[in-house]
Amino acid sequence: MTKTPASNPVAPALAELERAMQLDPGNPEIAKSLGNAHKAAGDRDKAAECYRQALRIAPDHLPSLYNLGLVLHEMNRLEEAERMFDRARRLAPKDVEVLAHLGAIQCKRAEHADAAATLRAALQFAPENSKLWLWLAIACEGIPDGIEESIQCLRRSLAIDPGFAEALAQLGAAYRKLGKLREAEEAYRSALGLDPGLAGAIDGLGGLHLDAGRLDEAVAQYRRALHSSPGAATHYNGLGCALTRSGGLAEAVDCFRKAIDLQPGYAGAYHNLGTALALQGATGEALHCFKEALRLKPGDAAIRECLLYEKQRACDWTQLDELIDAQRQSVLLQSESPISPFSLLSIPSTRTEQLRCARDFAARYARAAARDREKLAFHFDRGRKSRLTIGYLSADFHAHVTAYVMAELFELHDRSRFEIIAFSYGPEDGSPMRARLKRSFEKFVDVGALPHAAAASAIHAQGVDILVDLKGYTEHARTEITALRPAPIQVSYMGYPATMAAEFIDYMVADRFVIPAEHASDYSEALVLMPGSYYVNDRLRAVADTPPRGDLGLPQDAFVFCCFNQTYKILPQVFAVWMRLLSARPGSVLWLLEGSPESTQNLRREARAHGIDDRRLVFAPKLPLDRHLGRLRSADLFLDTLPYNAHTTATDALWVGVPVLTCPGDTFVSRVAGSLLTAVGMPELITSSLADYEALALRLARSPDGLGAIRGKLAHNRTTTPLFDTPGFVRHLEQAYARMWAQYLTGTPPQGFAVKAAEETEPGQT
């Protein structure tokens, strides 16, 4: 045994107990007392070994079971601690302390139903124990539909002990979960009034600031908290979350690492560190963090979502089916951890699953917005107007793919009938696209630094009649703004290819191909069906000269299959088809967009596993749009992905004359390429199964004349069909806006409609 320094006040007792142990090695009381001394000296490992020694001597020695459970709990070895207290409970079923500790550990292990049963048993013997009521509240909160009982337990705890700060903080958490944000803030502040350093209340109040988009306040609060409590892991985690949201990724990563150093088993910090690292492009490290978070918190759907998405980005397909099945099951079970609806779009999932997931997600936003909506009390006037005010809300008004396809739409709006305003919460990147967009709007309002409520107020102050959300549930979205209902009519368009299932979104712009009539019931919005494709295009996209193939790393005379979709869209089943095509068409290559080093390495490995020389995979680095479009002409055939189709990448290919081959599925996101091909008059490139997709791709790859005819038809249709008729598209979209307003004037709920190609201005718009 390591000697305890003589300066330690416990040292004399340790020395005496060690001598006693040598004289009477079969005495469990001495072994237990020696464990207590080591624990007092700060050596939990030695304390645990002494308690185990006592139990080897006397397996039913209750004090040693209890103390070993305590020290294991302190060491965060929860599974072992639970076993000790469970054994102690069998020996002393009425011992309140044993039951209390067992219930607390079961709560921490997310065994909420077991914890509730254990704590109710303890309360039979100690009904006035405020801490037991607190732990029962925590257990009930983790049980489906148990939040109201949780609040009742907390009120009982506070009735017994009105100064119980921890119960007040937990009450704040329960109110926050219900969307009662005013009550939550009051509870947190009351808790801090009793205990200014209470971590749960500090972190809860910081979370409220984050929820409301008050990032500066959140950062400042966590910094103040860390100044007074520099050893609080949760404060570092909270500060890291606030910095991640506000763009301070480097410091955020440092904060999460510090939280983990202070609390090695902190699953939330690992999860958040993984997110920050993924945003920095550190794929390998991010994957490690997500795996560790899931190990520490098994079954957490939000962590599993991040792990699955990052594995998709890395084209790491190990355990892919298992993770996908688990996520889909979580949607059916309405997992306590919220799953982003966007994460379902790139995996096999049904419209029903997407609707259910989005409905649950939207309800959270609606609950969180309820208090501010009541306080803001926005009022809207119904009346005819000489000009409708259309607001476009997005984080992507800069050098971004959304801007590249939408810029001309903003420029072509009829200013005599519509006032067009941008509400931007994305970065000012100083790009030519940013400058072009600023010129294209009558007003360009930057709400990026504003909290959600202030941003909504800014939109309402501009008198917006129709607010068009271009983000939906995609990355960097601030759905909290639309949840506050700053405009009388709110529309989902372009950014999110699925239902938002939100009561605060009235319409969705789509077309008959992406949402056939038989699919309409799986969308909560009133559907506005455009006469061609719902997808708008910018005819002013510049195309640079096409370099020689050799300069692009492509063989001069090879047949070039290509797919410039992001790597997370590439799944094993479609990749296997591509490999069979390479095998059947000797000398051909597959041209892909370069992702992370991990994705390149994994795709090359997968190619070899299919018997394909990995040098036949050629990876294209990212380039400015004009140069990318110029090089894209070197491809012979664009191969689409499933279930997440090519969207902008498909329009890019069609714009420069490269045929796109697709296989539509049953969801919006899996039918976009088919919509584009329909609108450009190329339905022969839409297949009905992967087998047909593979057969047609091979037939075109083996038939220069057949492919030449397809390319010739595309070159003609490019200038004569609706897909790239941007002025015509804008007229149709304006007709849709006018009809939405006309319906609003009648006071009836939003109703879906199809825009007719020859339709004139709607009644009600003068």
Side-chain angles (χ1 to χ4, degrees), residues 47-70:
E49 179 51 39
C50 290
Y51 298 139
R52 292 187 197 281
Q53 176 63 22
L55 291 169
R56 284 193 287 270
I57 298 166
D60 291 339
H61 193 249
L62 183 60
S64 294
L65 279 171
Y66 181 86
N67 289 338
L68 179 57
L70 283 180

Side-chain angles (χ1 to χ4, degrees), residues 92-101 121-126 129 132:
K94 297 182 180 182
D95 189 307
V96 171
E97 290 298 313
V98 168
L99 292 169
H101 284 291
L123 282 163
Q124 290 180 9
F125 308 112
N129 187 316
L132 286 176

Side-chain angles (χ1 to χ4, degrees), residues 575-631:
F575 188 78
V577 172
W578 296 350
M579 295 303 98
R580 290 196 295 271
L581 290 171
L582 292 183
S583 179
R585 182 62 166 87
S588 61
V589 297
L590 177 62
W591 198 19
L592 301 170
L593 185 66
E594 186 175 62
S596 67
E598 289 84 359
S599 66
T600 299
Q601 178 182 338
N602 287 332
L603 287 172
R604 290 195 185 281
R605 186 188 66 246
E606 291 293 335
R608 294 192 297 270
H610 283 86
I612 299 297
D613 184 343
D614 66 15
R615 289 174 295 182
R616 294 176 68 186
L617 271 58
V618 180
F619 291 91
K622 293 180 180 178
L623 289 178
L625 180 62
D626 62 332
R627 292 175 58 197
H628 166 65
L629 293 176
R631 73 179 174 187

Side-chain angles (χ1 to χ4, degrees), residues 243-576:
L243 291 166
T244 299
R245 291 269 298 275
S246 58
L249 288 178
E251 187 182 356
V253 166
D254 290 341
C255 287
F256 296 134
R257 292 193 193 283
K258 182 66 174 176
I260 291 167
D261 287 342
L262 291 166
Q263 189 175 319
Y266 197 166
Y270 272 109
H271 182 188
N272 294 326
L273 176 59
T275 299
L277 289 167
L279 290 170
Q280 288 185 321
T283 300
E285 291 180 89
L287 279 170
H288 168 76
C289 289
F290 292 139
K291 289 174 183 176
E292 185 63 15
L294 197 59
R295 184 189 69 79
L296 292 165
K297 199 173 181 183
D300 187 286
I303 297 173
R304 190 169 54 232
E305 173 192 322
C306 291
L307 174 60
L308 174 57
Y309 181 67
E310 202 62 22
K311 284 172 76 71
Q312 288 179 252
R313 291 204 332 161
C315 297
D316 175 357
W317 298 330
T318 56
Q319 297 183 299
L320 195 67
D321 290 341
E322 176 186 332
L323 290 168
I324 288 172
D325 289 345
Q327 286 304 90
R328 295 177 70 179
Q329 188 67 18
S330 293
V331 172
L332 295 175
L333 297 175
Q334 293 186 300
S335 168
E336 197 63 29
S337 300
I339 301 172
S340 166
F342 179 77
S343 69
L344 289 185
L345 304 190
S346 62
I347 63 174
S349 61
T350 66
R351 296 189 307 278
T352 301
E353 289 167 344
Q354 292 175 10
L355 174 65
R356 186 167 185 169
C357 182
R359 185 178 287 138
D360 181 56
F361 209 65
R364 294 171 187 269
Y365 282 116
R367 288 195 298 269
R371 183 195 69 161
D372 282 335
R373 276 179 70 167
E374 181 181 339
K375 183 170 66 175
L376 292 168
F378 292 138
H379 175 72
F380 310 112
D381 293 324
R382 295 182 192 269
R384 296 180 181 274
K385 296 189 173 186
S386 60
R387 288 206 307 166
L388 290 180
T389 299
I390 312 296
Y392 287 97
L393 176 68
S394 182
D396 300 333
F397 294 131
H398 54 94
H400 185 277
V401 291
T402 300
Y404 291 142
V405 293
M406 295 198 72
E408 192 180 9
L409 180 151
F410 306 135
E411 293 167 342
L412 291 177
H413 269 307
D414 183 350
R415 295 306 200 272
S416 69
R417 299 171 59 216
F418 299 93
E419 179 186 18
I420 307 300
I421 304 176
F423 295 96
S424 170
Y425 53 87
E428 166 58 82
D429 63 352
S431 65
M433 176 54 74
R434 178 77 166 191
R436 179 185 172 189
L437 291 170
K438 284 186 171 180
R439 292 192 301 270
S440 69
F441 289 98
E442 289 177 68
K443 297 176 184 176
F444 193 96
V445 182
D446 192 338
V447 297
L450 299 179
H452 305 317
S457 295
I459 293 169
H460 183 260
Q462 293 292 337
V464 171
D465 300 307
I466 301 174
L467 181 65
V468 184
D469 179 12
L470 301 178
K471 291 297 291 180
Y473 296 133
T474 56
E475 187 178 25
H476 305 308
R478 289 179 64 182
T479 312
E480 298 91 343
I481 296 173
T482 49
L484 292 167
R485 180 63 83 166
I489 299 172
Q490 301 195 152
V491 181
S492 175
Y493 178 48
M494 281 297 284
Y496 184 66
T499 181
M500 289 186 68
E503 54 86 15
F504 47 84
I505 298 294
D506 305 302
Y507 293 94
M508 180 182 196
V509 178
D511 61 59
R512 291 179 177 88
F513 192 94
V514 289
I515 306 181
E518 62 270 23
H519 295 182
S521 61
D522 290 314
Y523 296 82
S524 69
E525 301 87 351
L527 300 177
V528 176
L529 303 178
M530 301 295 281
S533 174
Y534 82 102
Y535 216 85
V536 67
N537 282 282
D538 180 1
R539 301 164 303 159
L540 305 182
R541 283 176 287 181
V543 182
D545 293 337
T546 302
R549 277 189 167 186
D551 292 353
L552 299 171
L554 298 170
Q556 189 62 40
D557 298 323
F559 188 92
V560 178
F561 296 105
C562 87
C563 180
F564 282 112
N565 288 355
Q566 293 187 58
T567 53
Y568 74 87
K569 297 184 181 182
I570 303 174
L571 294 183
Q573 188 179 14
V574 172
F575 188 78

Side-chain angles (χ1 to χ4, degrees), residues 513-514 562-563 565 574 577-578 637-647 650 654 658-665 667-678 680 682-697 700:
F513 192 94
V514 289
C562 87
C563 180
N565 288 355
V574 172
V577 172
W578 296 350
L637 181 63
F638 188 108
L639 299 174
D640 197 13
T641 48
L642 187 73
Y644 204 132
N645 282 181
H647 294 186
L654 296 171
V658 177
V660 174
L661 182 63
T662 192
C663 178
T667 58
F668 188 132
V669 74
S670 68
R671 301 180 64 82
V672 173
S675 164
L676 301 173
L677 288 166
T678 300
V680 82
M682 304 294 292
E684 61 268 41
L685 293 173
I686 304 171
T687 62
S688 58
S689 68
L690 275 180
D692 290 343
Y693 168 99
E694 182 175 348
L696 180 54
L700 292 172

